[in-house]
Each structure stands twice: as structure tokens, then as C-alpha cells.
């Protein structure tokens, strides 16, 4: 019986080699993540153009996460049944639709629709891309897929935020040019996906897998639960920076440059991506300890910078938090990549990403509504303190895990 994993010889001859396909999947992963971060430096521009409140801005942020989490719940395991390539191709097509909407947006309604559709596409893509990387992992480098799964999302957020900030500050037509570039990138991604080898054979249960659920094999539940506190702490700080970071830079510190607005996100995510790479050979337990410690310290330093109205001190805290963010991403997703069997990868990554994006979104949405009544300064201050507590809780959870497994 012919499956997607075994195409005819004439098709196989046109496929990319596995090492090239691995690199291509990593690049597509970064592109999706960059596209998801691109609106952050533009929110201030859209607010100025269309005169909407921080509450409306929060709604724009929230619909993206609603679409993404819904997609993870419904489509997270689909590629385990019908193959990686069909799901990736569909996700790229849906993402292209959202980018066209961004490109033509003239009011908040279209912006909301674009973000919702983008969330659906990103959710479908990220679980499938993560699973495909593990499928294609080079035998001589068993930890490479885990490294890229931890590094690509964070690196993409940094590239998307900084690139958009630069274009908004210096390029013509700032609310259009970035979307045209990303649309071209998605067209290229679609061409590449048509040529990558299928790595997951068809198996029954595709329709049943669409029923919204979160499932983790019993043997993996303890390992996943031990990672939950650090995932929550790191992605909660990411949510603050991507939703309100540029607004805090402008409203609290009086920095009006759109480039700086993008740089705020890049300080966190760029530092995180570099950290993931530099720590790739450090034992996971040590990386988790470092992540919890630095998320706590970084949040405390950032809060101090806010309280003293010191942009420099807040930036130092952001960099420290970025190291913790990158260490957390590397350790958590790297651990899951090693633990999961081939038929479990899509669903397990979906569960981990749902946890991450709930932590990423719910506190940020609450903060967005709070900012309207309490102000950006007080909201960011309380948020930073909460993240510091979460980082400390992650440290405690790791110590308890050690005692249980000792």
C-alpha cells in the first residue's frame, strides 16, 4: 500500500535530501514565529492611525491566542495521522490569507480577523514543524532537533520584532511593507514544503484526532508536569513584552522610536535565542536551574528599573530575563523532543505549546485590561513581580522533582 511516507520513485527523486529538508523546516519555523511577532511594534502605529484604546489592543492580541490555542487543540495531532506535509501546506496557505488581510487592513475589524486567522495558521504549523524536525533529526547529532525546537520560536520572535521595528522607523509605508515581505516568504515556504520528504506515514484516526483534547501518554506525564512551572514563568514574561513592551517603552519611559519598540522585544527574545545556542551542550538539569534563577532575577531587576524610571536598568533586567527565557525554551522543548515516540510527537508538542501560550496570553490579556484603568506603569510593575514569583516557583518545582526521582 502506498503512503505519504513512501511516494512513487519519480516523486522521491525530486524531494530534498533529509539534511536540506531539516534546514528548510527550521527556516520555515523561524518565519512563522517572526510573522507572529511582526504586529508588536506596529500596535502603537495602528493605535495612532485608528485611535483605539489599550483594551482594544489587548483584544487584538487575545484573538490571535484564541485562534492559536484552538488550532493546537483541534489540529495538534493531525499530522501524526495524515502526514506532516499536508498540514504544513494548509497552514502556509491560511497564513498567507492572514498576511493579505494585514496588507489591506484599514480598520480594527480587519486587524482582528487577520490576527485570528494568523493564530489558527501558527498553531497548526508549530506542532507540525516541531514534530517534523524530530523526524528529520540527523543521526549523528541526536540533540539537534531539540535545540532547534527551543531556538527557532524565540529567534523568530526576535527577528520579527526587530525587523518590523526597523521597517516601521525607516521604510516607506510601514503598515504594508513588512506584510508584503512576509507574504513572499510564505510563498517560498509553500514551494519548499512541496519538495520535502514526508516523514510520518498515514495511520487511522485522523477524524477522531480533530476532537479537542489534550492527551499525554501516562509514561510522560511526570516529566511534563515537572516542566510546567518553568514553561509558565518564561512564556508569561514573553507575553508581557510582545503585547505591551513597545507601549511601556513609549508611555512609561517616553521613548517614541518604533525601532526601540521592536528592540524591547528583541532584547528578550534575541538574548533567549543566543542563550539556547550557547547552552546546547549543558546538562538539562543545570539549564533548568539557570532558567528559573535568571527569570526571577531578571524580573526583579526590570521591576526596579520601572520603579526608578531607569530605562537602562529595565533593559538590563530584560537581558537577564532573556537568558532565562532561552534556557527555559531549550530545556523544556529539548526534553520533550527526546522523550516522545514518533507517533506521539505532534500531540505532545501541542500540549506543551497550549501550556506555553495560555501562560503567554492570559496574564497579558489581564494586564492589557488593567493598563486601561491602572496605567501602564503600575500594571507592568505588578506583572513583573508575578513573573518573579513564578520563576521562584519553578525553582522549587525542580528541587521537588529531584527529591522525588532521587
Amino acid at each position: 500500500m502506498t503512503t505519504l511516507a513512501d511516494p512513487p520513485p519519480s516523486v522521491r527523486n525530486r524531494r530534498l535530501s533529509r539534511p536540506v529538508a531539516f534546514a528548510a523546516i527550521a527556516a520555515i519555523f523561524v518565519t512563522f514565529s517572526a510573522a507572529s511577532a511582526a504586529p508588536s511594534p506596529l500596535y502603537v502605529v495602528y493605535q495612532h492611525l485608528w485611535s483605539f484604546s489599550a483594551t482594544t489592543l489587548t483584544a487584538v492580541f487575545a484573538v490571535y491566542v484564541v485562534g492559536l490555542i484552538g488550532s493546537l487543540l483541534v489540529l495538534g495531532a493531525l499530522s501524526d495521522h495524515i502526514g506532516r506535509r499536508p498540514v504544513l501546506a494548509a497552514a502556509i496557505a491560511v497564513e498567507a490569507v492572514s498576511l493579505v488581510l494585514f496588507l489591506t487592513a484599514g480598520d480594527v475589524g480587519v486587524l482582528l480577523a487577520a490576527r485570528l486567522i494568523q493564530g489558527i495558521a501558527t498553531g497548526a504549523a508549530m506542532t507540525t514543524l516541531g514534530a517534523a524536525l524530530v523526524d528529520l533529526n540527523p543521526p549523528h547529532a541526536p540533540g539537534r532537533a531539540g535545540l532547534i525546537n527551543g531556538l527557532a520560536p524565540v529567534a523568530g520572535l526576535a527577528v520579527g520584532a526587530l525587523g518590523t521595528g526597523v521597517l516601521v522607523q525607516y521604510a516607506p509605508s510601514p503598515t504594508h511593507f513588512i506584510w508584503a515581505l512576509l507574504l513572499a516568504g510564505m510563498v517560498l515556504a509553500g514551494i519548499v514544503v512541496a519538495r520535502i520528504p514526508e516523514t510520518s506515514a498515514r495511520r487511522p484516526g485522523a477524524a477522531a484526532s480533530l476532537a479537542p483534547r489534550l492527551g499525554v501518554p501516562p509514561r510522560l506525564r511526570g516529566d511534563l508536569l515537572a516542566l510546567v512551572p518553568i514553561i509558565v514563568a518564561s512564556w508569561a514574561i514573553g507575553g508581557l513584552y510582545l503585547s505591551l513592551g513597545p507601549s511601556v517603552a513609549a508611555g512609561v519611559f517616553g521613548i517614541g522610536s518604533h525601532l526601540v519598540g521592536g528592540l524591547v522585544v528583541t532584547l528578550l527574545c534575541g538574548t533567549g535565542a543566543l542563550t539556547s545556542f550557547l547552552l546546547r551542550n549543558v546538562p538539562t538539569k543545570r539549564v533548568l536551574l539557570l532558567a528559573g534563577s535568571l527569570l526571577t532575577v531578571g524580573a526583579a531587576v526590570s521591576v526596579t528599573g520601572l520603579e526608578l524610571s531607569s530605562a537602562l536598568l529595565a533593559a538590563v533586567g530584560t537581558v537577564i530575563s532573556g537568558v532565562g527565557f532561552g534556557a527555559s525554551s531549550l530545556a523544556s522543548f529539548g526534553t520533550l523532543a527526546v522523550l516522545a515516540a514518533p507517533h506521539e510527537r505532534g500531540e505532545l508538542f501541542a500540549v506543551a505549546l497550549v501550556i506555553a501560550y495560555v501562560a503567554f496570553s492570559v496574564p497579558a490579556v489581564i494586564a492589557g485590561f488593567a493598563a486601561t484603568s491602572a496605567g501602564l506603569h503600575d500594571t507592568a510593575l505588578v506583572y513583573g513581580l508575578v513573573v518573579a514569583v513564578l520563576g521562584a516557583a519553578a525553582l522549587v518545582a525542580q528541587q521537588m522533582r529531584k527529591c522525588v526521582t532521587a
Side-chain angles (χ1 to χ4, degrees):
M1 182 178 68
T2 301
T3 70
L4 280 173
D6 285 310
S10 61
V11 175
R12 281 202 301 269
N13 292 337
R14 296 196 299 271
R15 295 282 185 240
L16 299 174
S17 67
R18 289 177 70 89
V20 173
F22 183 90
I25 291 293
I28 294 170
F29 208 152
V30 171
T31 303
F32 263 95
S33 189
S36 73
S40 291
L42 281 169
Y43 285 148
V44 176
V45 178
Y46 288 131
Q47 275 186 296
H48 177 73
L49 288 175
W50 301 330
S51 302
F52 57 81
S53 67
T55 301
T56 302
L57 187 155
T58 303
V60 174
F61 177 80
V63 297
Y64 166 77
V65 180
V66 168
L68 187 145
I69 292 176
S71 179
L72 290 172
L73 290 172
V74 175
L75 304 175
L78 185 61
S79 75
D80 290 338
H81 296 274
I82 69 171
R84 313 297 184 207
R85 290 175 64 243
V87 178
L88 276 180
I92 289 168
V94 174
E95 178 77 11
V97 171
S98 77
L99 294 173
V100 170
L101 288 176
F102 278 120
L103 189 61
T104 58
D107 56 47
V108 176
V110 178
L111 189 62
L112 284 164
R115 271 307 253 173
L116 176 63
I117 294 170
Q118 186 180 46
I120 294 169
T122 304
M126 289 184 76
T127 55
T128 309
L129 290 164
L133 283 170
V134 180
D135 295 342
L136 293 165
N137 192 79
H140 66 276
R144 186 167 297 174
L147 170 65
I148 300 301
N149 267 306
L151 194 154
V154 184
L157 293 175
V159 170
L162 182 60
T164 304
V166 170
L167 292 175
V168 171
Q169 188 68 33
Y170 300 112
S173 191
T175 58
H176 296 85
F177 190 44
I178 182 63
W179 305 121
L181 282 178
L182 288 169
L183 185 58
M186 283 299 152
V187 171
L188 181 60
I191 294 170
V192 169
V193 166
R195 298 197 59 200
I196 64 171
E198 179 55 72
T199 59
S200 181
R202 285 183 180 272
R203 64 188 183 93
S209 76
L210 299 177
R213 67 166 186 250
L214 290 176
V216 179
R219 67 183 184 84
L220 300 179
R221 287 173 188 168
D223 296 292
L224 180 62
L225 285 172
L227 294 171
V228 168
I230 196 68
I231 293 174
V232 170
S234 59
W235 284 88
I237 194 74
L240 172 65
Y241 278 82
L242 264 82
S243 61
L244 295 177
S247 298
V248 170
V252 175
F253 295 113
I255 303 171
S257 169
H258 298 299
L259 175 58
V260 174
L263 190 60
V264 167
V265 178
T266 304
L267 274 178
L268 182 83
C269 299
T271 303
L274 181 61
T275 299
S276 293
F277 179 75
L278 293 177
L279 296 181
R280 64 193 184 279
N281 294 322
V282 177
T284 299
K285 290 182 180 178
R286 195 174 301 171
V287 176
L288 285 169
L289 179 64
L290 182 69
S293 302
L294 293 182
L295 284 169
T296 304
V297 173
V301 173
S302 296
V303 163
T304 305
L306 276 171
E307 193 61 23
L308 298 177
S309 298
S310 171
L312 178 60
L313 193 58
V316 171
T318 299
V319 171
I320 296 171
S321 295
V323 175
F325 188 22
S328 167
S329 184
L330 171 68
S332 53
F333 287 97
T335 298
L336 295 177
V338 172
L339 292 173
H343 65 281
E344 300 167 337
R345 286 168 187 160
E347 191 167 8
L348 185 61
F349 276 107
V351 173
L353 286 167
V354 166
I355 295 168
Y357 276 97
V358 167
F360 180 82
S361 59
V362 172
V365 169
I366 294 171
F369 286 113
T372 303
S373 56
L376 280 170
H377 177 277
D378 290 347
T379 299
L381 194 66
V382 172
Y383 199 124
L385 290 171
V386 170
V387 170
V389 171
L390 288 172
L395 283 173
V396 172
Q398 288 305 315
Q399 291 303 315
M400 291 177 64
R401 179 69 173 168
K402 283 183 184 178
C403 293
V404 170
T405 55

